[in-house]
Amino acid sequence: MKEGPDFTQIATLMGDPARANILTALMSGRALTASELAAEAGVTAATASSHLAKLEQGGLLLRRKQGRHRYFVLASEEVAHTIEAMMGLAANHGHLRTRQGPKDIELRTARVCYNHLAGDTGVQMFRALVSGGHIATGANGLDLTAKGAELMQRLGLPLETLAKSRAPMCRECLDWSARRSHLAGKLGRALLTHFETVGWAARVPDTRIIRFTPKGRAAFDATFAKQD
Amino acid sequence: MKEGPDFTQIATLMGDPARANILTALMSGRALTASELAAEAGVTAATASSHLAKLEQGGLLLRRKQGRHRYFVLASEEVAHTIEAMMGLAANHGHLRTRQGPKDIELRTARVCYNHLAGDTGVQMFRALVSGGHIATGANGLDLTAKGAELMQRLGLPLETLAKSRAPMCRECLDWSARRSHLAGKLGRALLTHFETVGWAARVPDTRIIRFTPKGRAAFDATFAKQD
DNA sequence: TTCATAGTTCGATGCTAATCAAAGCATCAC
DNA sequence: GTGATGCTTTGATTAGCATCGAACTATGAA
């Protein structure tokens, strides 16, 4: 018995409310300082510092020193993916943090998941890319097709730069709200960045919400048409 | 802030060593009794009972009453998937439970993940199915192609029966040891059952290990050839 | 019926870990 | 330098919870 890796430490780290708040805040993909995270978690700086040390030690967070600030980010996309999976279980079981408000609806419509687009809009994009034959399952998992590369060129994504790093181009990430896959990986990140750069969408400050402009929404829908 | 579902309860449930042992044991996909799980977790029946109640309450387990026994199983494939993700993080960070022994190697070669085949062998099968065009990404995620259906017919899988339930036919599950996808979903389950039925492989009692017979291994490799 | 086995509930115990205030470092501004 | 800000360390306090033995309930066997 007792087969397989021991995940108790990781689970314990995620199981404390203050630490869960910290992790949730970092799901926005932004680097936040220790003080910001303390406020986010609703604890004093001392307590937060202790939590952050543990999270870093446990491999969930990375710490970057910059002047007298310490910035924290999630350690990897895999960590983000696991957190989304946990949120999925929680949502499934009715552990929503708040009553469904307008904010919650916006979250479900479009939000940041670590560094890529999630929510209904993210799922819509994923399905459109698949249906259009722009991404397809290859021997190494999901990958960009030639047709897909063409589309990205047309949109103006710097594919050559993306190709340089060895990280996977496409990854699936299970969306906690829509309960379907959306696109993660380098491409997912690049697309979200692109939408922000060209002004189709912008993040609502201090939240994970992404808000599309009317024009941006129209352009997005034209590019990634809804599937039945 | 505090956006998204609150996963602290779920994480806390997974974060206790006794409960983690219980969950790990149930990753074998078998239904185990309260006493068996108590032994597995290394605690008394009283303690285990308390843990099992909490796990059921938290939606991670299902309880089935049968005579004077209570059988427990994981509540869903999604729960299994989340646990695998946590194991992936843990393995990545060196929290292996034991030093790499022969048992560990067997686990990495072929094991049960909830109800389907995982480990190198599971990954091999997944890649072969994808390369051979037997499964492909469709609008609703991974799906069996016509060519794939043909293969399954040839193997003798009861596709009609499978098609009846509304659960997804194919799902990807990230393998904690190989760090690649293997096949879950109804098809994944049916294939593993098939291998056992036709005697290609058998479970090692009281473990998650699956051991292939020499003949079974040969047949498996012929059907699902290793990819580069 | 009587005994044995499976599981749950209860109460007591003890340990772990979250928390904060205060003091200590480190960095920046002046 | 002096003061201010950001963060960490230390030590004391406290609350929660895992644990077990023992009593209790339910099912099955003889």
Side-chain angles (χ1 to χ4, degrees), chain B residues 1 55 59 66 74 89 91 94 103 122 150 172 187-188:
Chain B
M1 328 307 129
L55 287 169
Q66 205 165 103
L74 292 188
L89 284 187
K103 209 170 159 184
E150 218 172 274
E172 276 183 73
L187 186 62

Side-chain angles (χ1 to χ4, degrees), chain A residues 70-93:
Chain A
R70 306 296 135 92
Y71 284 92
F72 294 85
V73 290
L74 292 186
S76 68
E77 186 154 303
E78 202 179 352
V79 171
H81 179 256
T82 306
I83 293 175
E84 276 271 326
M86 303 273 295
M87 286 183 171
L89 284 188
N92 217 10
H93 219 245

Side-chain angles (χ1 to χ4, degrees), chain B:
Chain B
M1 328 307 129
K2 299 191 179 59
E3 289 157 356
D6 180 7
F7 54 86
T8 46
Q9 200 205 339
I10 306 268
T12 302
L13 284 173
M14 296 183 176
D16 175 80
R19 286 192 295 257
N21 284 339
I22 289 174
L23 291 171
T24 302
L26 290 173
M27 282 295 280
S28 71
R30 289 180 308 159
L32 297 172
T33 66
S35 332
E36 289 172 322
L37 289 169
E40 200 72 44
V43 293
T44 64
T47 307
S49 181
S50 147
H51 285 313
L52 289 168
K54 283 174 192 171
L55 287 169
E56 187 193 16
Q57 162 73 25
L60 298 182
L61 258 47
L62 294 179
R63 173 190 312 240
R64 235 172 40 215
K65 202 175 156 172
Q66 205 165 103
R68 52 180 165 178
H69 294 278
R70 305 297 135 92
Y71 284 92
F72 293 86
V73 291
L74 292 188
S76 67
E77 186 154 302
E78 202 179 351
V79 171
H81 179 256
T82 306
I83 292 175
E84 276 271 327
M86 304 272 296
M87 285 183 171
L89 284 187
N92 216 12
H93 220 246
H95 297 294
L96 293 178
R97 221 179 262 268
T98 54
R99 211 151 283 291
Q100 305 251 101
K103 209 170 159 184
D104 198 67
I105 293 176
E106 283 203 288
L107 259 189
R108 284 165 186 274
T109 304
R111 66 172 180 279
V112 186
C113 173
Y114 186 43
N115 57 22
H116 52 267
L117 182 63
D120 292 338
T121 311
V123 171
Q124 175 186 334
M125 181 173 80
F126 181 79
R127 299 187 69 190
L129 285 171
V130 169
S131 296
H134 300 115
I135 56 180
T137 314
N140 295 314
L142 217 54
D143 215 348
L144 192 64
T145 61
K147 195 176 167 197
E150 218 172 274
L151 172 64
M152 298 309 154
Q153 294 283 11
R154 203 159 60 240
L155 286 175
L157 261 74
L159 277 187
E160 308 75 29
T161 317
L162 280 187
K164 275 176 191 157
S165 92
R166 229 169 318 120
M169 182 66 85
C170 302
R171 280 198 47 162
E172 276 183 73
C173 184
L174 189 61
D175 201 284
W176 66 256
S177 57
R179 316 197 71 64
R180 284 168 176 277
S181 288
H182 60 244
L183 181 68
K186 284 187 297 181
L187 186 62
R189 165 181 229 146
L191 279 166
L192 175 56
T193 308
H194 178 72
F195 300 152
E196 296 183 273
T197 315
V198 299
W200 286 10
R203 303 193 187 193
V204 178
D206 296 330
T207 72
R208 291 177 67 188
I209 297 174
I210 295 180
R211 205 172 277 157
F212 276 73
T213 65
K215 275 193 187 172
R217 184 78 225 182
F220 181 91
D221 284 342
T223 315
F224 308 105
K226 269 189 193 154
Q227 306 300 310
D228 48 77

Side-chain angles (χ1 to χ4, degrees), chain A residues 3-211:
Chain A
E3 290 158 355
D6 179 8
F7 54 85
T8 46
Q9 199 204 339
I10 306 268
T12 302
L13 284 173
M14 295 183 175
D16 175 81
R19 286 193 293 258
N21 284 339
I22 288 174
L23 290 170
T24 303
L26 290 173
M27 281 295 280
S28 71
R30 290 181 307 159
L32 297 173
T33 65
S35 332
E36 288 171 322
L37 289 168
E40 201 72 44
V43 293
T44 62
T47 305
S49 180
S50 149
H51 285 313
L52 290 168
K54 285 173 191 170
L55 287 168
E56 187 193 16
Q57 161 75 25
L60 298 183
L61 257 49
L62 295 178
R63 175 191 309 242
R64 237 172 37 216
K65 201 173 156 173
Q66 204 166 104
R68 52 179 164 177
H69 294 276
R70 306 296 135 92
Y71 284 92
F72 294 85
V73 290
L74 292 186
S76 68
E77 186 154 303
E78 202 179 352
V79 171
H81 179 256
T82 306
I83 293 175
E84 276 271 326
M86 303 273 295
M87 286 183 171
L89 284 188
N92 217 10
H93 219 245
H95 296 294
L96 293 176
R97 223 181 261 268
T98 53
R99 209 151 284 290
Q100 305 253 101
K103 209 170 162 184
D104 198 68
I105 293 175
E106 283 203 288
L107 259 188
R108 285 166 185 272
T109 305
R111 67 173 179 278
V112 184
C113 172
Y114 186 45
N115 57 24
H116 52 266
L117 182 63
D120 293 336
T121 311
V123 171
Q124 175 186 336
M125 181 172 80
F126 181 79
R127 298 186 71 191
L129 286 171
V130 169
S131 296
H134 300 114
I135 57 181
T137 315
N140 296 313
L142 218 55
D143 214 350
L144 193 63
T145 62
K147 195 174 166 197
E150 217 172 88
L151 172 65
M152 298 309 154
Q153 293 284 8
R154 203 158 61 240
L155 286 176
L157 259 75
L159 277 188
E160 309 74 29
T161 317
L162 281 187
K164 275 176 192 158
S165 91
R166 228 169 319 120
M169 181 66 85
C170 302
R171 280 198 47 161
E172 275 183 74
C173 183
L174 189 62
D175 202 284
W176 67 257
S177 57
R179 317 197 69 67
R180 285 167 174 276
S181 288
H182 59 244
L183 181 70
K186 283 187 298 181
L187 186 63
R189 166 183 227 145
L191 279 166
L192 175 56
T193 309
H194 178 72
F195 301 151
E196 297 182 273
T197 317
V198 300
W200 286 9
R203 303 193 186 192
V204 178
D206 297 329
T207 74
R208 290 176 69 188
I209 297 172
I210 295 180
R211 205 173 276 157

